[in-house]
Structures are given as C-alpha cells and as structure tokens.
Amino acid sequence: ENEPTVSITVVGASGDLAKKKIFPALFALYYEDCLPQQFTIYGYARSKMSDADLRHMVSKTLTCRIDKRENCTEKMEQFLKRCFYHSGQYDSPENFAELDKKLKEHEGGRVSNRLFYLSIPPNIFIDSVRCASLSASSGNGWTRVIVEKPFGRDSESSAALTKALKQYLEEDQIFRIDHYLGKELVENLSVLRFSNLIFEPLWSRQYIRNVQLIFSEDFGTEGRGGYFDNYGIIRDIMQNHLLQILALFAMETPVSLDAEDIRNEKVKVLRSMRPLQLENMVVGQYKSHTKGGVTYPAYTDDKTVPDDSLTPTFAAAALFIDNARWDGVPFLMKAGKALHNKRAEIRVQFRHVPGNLYNRNFGTDLDCATNELVIRVQPDEAIYLKINNKVPGLGMRLDRSNLNLHYAARYSKEIPCAYERLLLDAVEGERRLFIRSDELDAAWALFTPLLKELEEKKIIPEYYPYGSRGPVGAHYLAAKYNVRWGDGV
Ligand code: BG6
C-alpha cells in the first residue's frame, strides 16, 4: 500500500497515435506485469468525454497480441478500470491544475511519480509542457515528460524548442522519443556487433564497401498531408529514424551500456559526419497511378496539400563519416512513401574477397560474389548473411545462399511493439533509447543546410508513380558511388 504511485498522463488522448500505439502498448505492459503495482492512466484531451467514453474508445484498440490466454478479457477489464479521462485545453494552467487535483486524489499522499506523454501537434507543444510542469509531482517522486517529434524543422527551431523546454524541465526529465530505437532489431544491432566475434572486426572501411538504410511504405500520406507537407520525408524519416540507426550502426564501442556512454558515442559519430549536400541527394514526389482499374492519388491530390507543393515524399542520399573507421564508405539512405512495398532494413555490403580463387565462377558480375548482411527491421524480422556456396553436385558451380535468422521461425513469442519498450524504459528511468539534446543538435546540423537549399532553390522533385519503386534518380545516385541498392531497385 505504501508503494510509490505512478500516473501516466497521455496528453492528446483522442489522437491517432494514442489510440493505435500508446494505449495498446500500456495494456501490453500491464498484461506482462511490467507496470508498477500502483499505476493510473489518464487520458487528457480537449473533447468532452467521460471515463467510460475513454474506456470504450481505448478498448477498441487493445489486443492480446502476446498470446491468447484465457484471462485476456479479464485483464482488459482490470486495465480499463485504471484508465481515467480529463478534458482540458492543452495550454490551460487551470485545466492542468484540475488534473493535478485528480492525480493527488489517486496518489493519496504516497510518493508519487508522474509521466506525461505529449502526443500533440508541435504548435501547442511548449504551452503544454509549461502546463504539465505545473502539475509536476510535488512529493519525493519524479516527473518525466515524453515528447514526440517533430522536434523543430531545422537547427534554429529545434534549438529554440530545446531552450523553451529547459525553462520548465531538466534535461533528465525530457524523454525524446524516436520509436525506431525501440524496435527489436534496432536494439539488437549492438548485441549483434558487440557480442559476436565475427562481426565487429569486420565493421570498418577495410571490409565494408557500403551500408544502406532503406525505408519504404506502400501507402501515401493519406489523411496526414497537413502535417506532412510542412516536414517532408527527409524530416519525417531520414533526419531521425534512419540517422539514429546509422549512429548506432557506426558508433565506436561505448565504455559501457550506460545511457550516457552510448549517447556519447552516438553524438561523436554524428559530429564526424559531413553535412548532406544537394549533389548527393535525390528527392521525389508520388504522382497518381492507375493499376488494375484502381486509381491511386497523387500526393498533391490530398486536400490538405497545396497543388503546387514541392515537398518530397521520397528521398535518397549518400552520407559520409569522416573518421578513421569509415573514411570513404558511402552510407546510402533511401526513404519513401507510396512505393511498391513496406519495409525497413539495413544492408551491409562487404568488399570483394582479394584474389578470389572462385571469381571466374561469377563471370563478370563480381557484385554477386560479395557478402551482404541484411538486417530486416520490419516486416517479418530477420537477419541474414548472403554467402557463396557450392551448388551440390559433381561440377563446381557457386551460388548465393543465406545464413538465415528468421525471427518467426526461431522465436515463438510475438515481438513487442516499439512503444512498449520505450514506455517501459521511461517508467523505469532508462534513457538509453531516448535522444539527448546534443544528439538532436548534431542531427539537425547535418540536415539543415540541405533542407534550406532545397527550399530556397525550389528544387523540383522527381515524380514517381504511386506504388512504383521510386525515382530512377536513386539508382544513379548509388551508381555514382559504385553501389547497387541491395533491395533490387
Ligand atoms: C513516423 C512517421 O515517425 O513513422 C510516419 O511520422 C511513418 O510518416 C512512421 O509512417 C513509420 O513507423 P512504423 O513503425 O510504422 O514503421
């Protein structure tokens, strides 16, 4: 009974992210017995709703994804009983004070810890942080605030946001979320590198020809055009999700697994990178396409997007890390919406085997003879290594085979959603997977000059049909560095 209480307030509770990700993740944590005994969840939003309305709304997206144990319905009911709703404006100190009162009632004078998850549009962000900080825990407990991107649009606006946040919160209270860091295979990157003898010694310019970070979605900005048009794919995916993966991939060995040690290494590698340049960049935008009698819309068909928008929905870039380990190795990134498939993966292409005795077995296509390590972050999580192998038989013919770690075959349990890992870490105060402000600065420093140039010069994107493999320019960009995209595009 005297255990500390934890209240989790989801600000923006009726939004899509809250409904689809945050509440289901909280339920999964509850189901797995990962939440503290004394926890309460508050939904906070503008619409007038009762506790029962919130519970009804939340119940629709809860799933027992972990397994189909019989007590699932019971667990859901218990979970929903811990969920409450408070209606208020995002910038109203009075409304937050009312919330504070309700929280205090639940806390009943015990040590109280408070976590606020701000799942709200950027324009009301600061006001909301100010208000939330007014309802900070007043006892011995902690107060933490999870913030979602966009963290600004460029270096300046991001720095202004950081400054404003720090008026109300200490850095160690701010949990900047990048949900890609919570994905199972991204977390596994360090395990793969640092706990297997065979990878880390090869992890450098000496053995790696290029690294590819690929993100694709097979749907457009449907319904999100209003947000997206102000940001574009470079800010939406590259500057955060892909760059974070790159930093983890390329960083030096941290002193320990401690959050500060890991983030120190990530910052270092980001600072060793060259800011992006227009000549190493391709931007695209999807146009309408009719296939099988169905017409898929162009990006600009979205009512919330201006007809003359030049916002990229696709981008490919070559990045370079100017340090001893990675000098000269191209890191190619590619991200796009409305493409032919949905996928996120890391591809590591190794160099040719020097003096390879078997070269002639590959004819002129030497590319076929090199090893490639693929880390498929999603869907159908897998890690596989392409190796050369003798085709069984009396002749000497080689082909490529995969040493394959297919998660679905190897592990019977379903993989937790990224938000589960991250929410649990925030409750436990583990900062390893959250972005520190200096990391954010370094990330913006790499992209800001390019983003400005694209906008100032009004660079016309290369148009690609909805559902296609994206602009052909991405192919030429890779070819400039003697690279072929591993995903066959
Ligand atoms: C978000 C982007 O950060 O990530 C979206 O804003 C994108 O545009 C989403 O669709 C992709 O996340 P996931 O986990 O579905 O791959």
Side-chain angles (χ1 to χ4, degrees), residues 149 179-180 183 215 217 224 227 236-237 241 337 342 378:
K149 74 165 205 311
H179 77 284
Y180 265 63
K183 294 202 185 254
F215 168 98
E217 276 180 343
R224 288 177 77 227
Y227 149 79
D236 192 46
I237 304 291
H241 303 330
K337 294 202 172 262
K342 178 166 166 54
Q378 65 187 33

Side-chain angles (χ1 to χ4, degrees), residues 163-192:
K163 196 169 159 210
L165 278 175
K166 289 194 176 167
Q167 266 181 277
Y168 308 109
L169 300 166
E170 300 295 328
E171 174 66 22
D172 68 2
Q173 294 183 286
I174 307 170
F175 286 67
R176 293 179 195 82
I177 219 167
D178 182 313
H179 77 284
Y180 265 63
L181 291 181
K183 294 202 185 254
E184 187 63 39
L185 271 80
V186 176
E187 245 216 304
N188 190 46
L189 249 183
S190 299
V191 180
L192 191 72

Side-chain angles (χ1 to χ4, degrees), residues 66-80:
I66 299 154
D67 54 28
K68 302 270 179 285
R69 272 184 252 161
E70 279 161 14
N71 60 358
C72 185
T73 334
E74 200 185 311
K75 281 270 196 186
M76 276 190 191
E77 277 165 18
Q78 289 164 357
F79 174 79
L80 290 170

Side-chain angles (χ1 to χ4, degrees), residues 431-489:
R431 295 173 177 79
R432 198 165 40 95
L433 300 177
F434 293 88
I435 321 273
R436 215 167 55 185
S437 70
D438 54 348
E439 274 188 82
L440 183 63
D441 292 348
W444 275 122
L446 290 173
F447 281 86
T448 297
L450 168 100
L451 286 164
K452 290 203 167 143
E453 200 176 344
L454 276 174
E455 278 154 25
E456 273 156 21
K457 293 190 175 157
K458 297 199 182 340
I459 301 292
I460 313 261
E462 217 178 300
Y463 294 96
Y464 61 97
Y466 193 119
S468 69
R469 288 168 175 263
V472 67
H475 170 77
Y476 293 121
L477 175 71
K480 195 167 136 188
Y481 295 99
N482 262 326
V483 178
R484 223 186 270 179
W485 290 104
D487 60 348
V489 181

Side-chain angles (χ1 to χ4, degrees), residues 163-297:
K163 196 169 159 210
L165 278 175
K166 289 194 176 167
Q167 266 181 277
Y168 308 109
L169 300 166
E170 300 295 328
E171 174 66 22
D172 68 2
Q173 294 183 286
I174 307 170
F175 286 67
R176 293 179 195 82
I177 219 167
D178 182 313
H179 77 284
Y180 265 63
L181 291 181
K183 294 202 185 254
E184 187 63 39
L185 271 80
V186 176
E187 245 216 304
N188 190 46
L189 249 183
S190 299
V191 180
L192 191 72
R193 270 186 78 181
F194 300 125
S195 78
N196 291 294
L197 183 70
I198 61 163
F199 294 114
E200 182 56 16
L202 305 185
W203 227 247
S204 73
R205 64 190 302 278
Q206 216 180 331
Y207 299 105
I208 292 179
R209 260 196 309 166
N210 67 77
V211 181
Q212 307 178 9
L213 301 145
I214 301 173
F215 168 98
S216 66
E217 276 180 343
D218 54 3
F219 49 89
T221 55
E222 286 92 343
R224 288 177 77 227
Y227 149 79
F228 191 86
D229 201 59
N230 198 20
Y231 293 92
I233 199 80
I234 302 173
R235 294 182 177 93
D236 192 46
I237 304 291
M238 275 191 172
Q239 181 269 354
N240 35 67
H241 303 330
L242 295 189
L243 190 64
Q244 283 297 322
I245 297 179
L246 193 160
L248 278 177
F249 180 95
M251 70 181 182
E252 295 300 316
T253 313
V255 176
S256 76
L257 291 175
D258 187 73
E260 298 318 315
D261 288 334
I262 294 177
R263 297 189 295 183
N264 287 345
E265 292 309 326
K266 283 168 68 197
V267 174
K268 273 202 243 164
V269 77
L270 290 173
R271 289 204 186 131
S272 306
M273 289 174 70
R274 251 178 261 167
L276 273 90
Q277 286 171 322
L278 204 49
E279 69 213 46
N280 280 334
M281 190 86 212
V282 171
V283 288
Q285 191 187 87
Y286 64 88
K287 58 181 186 186
S288 157
H289 182 58
T290 305
K291 203 165 127 190
V294 184
T295 300
Y296 296 91

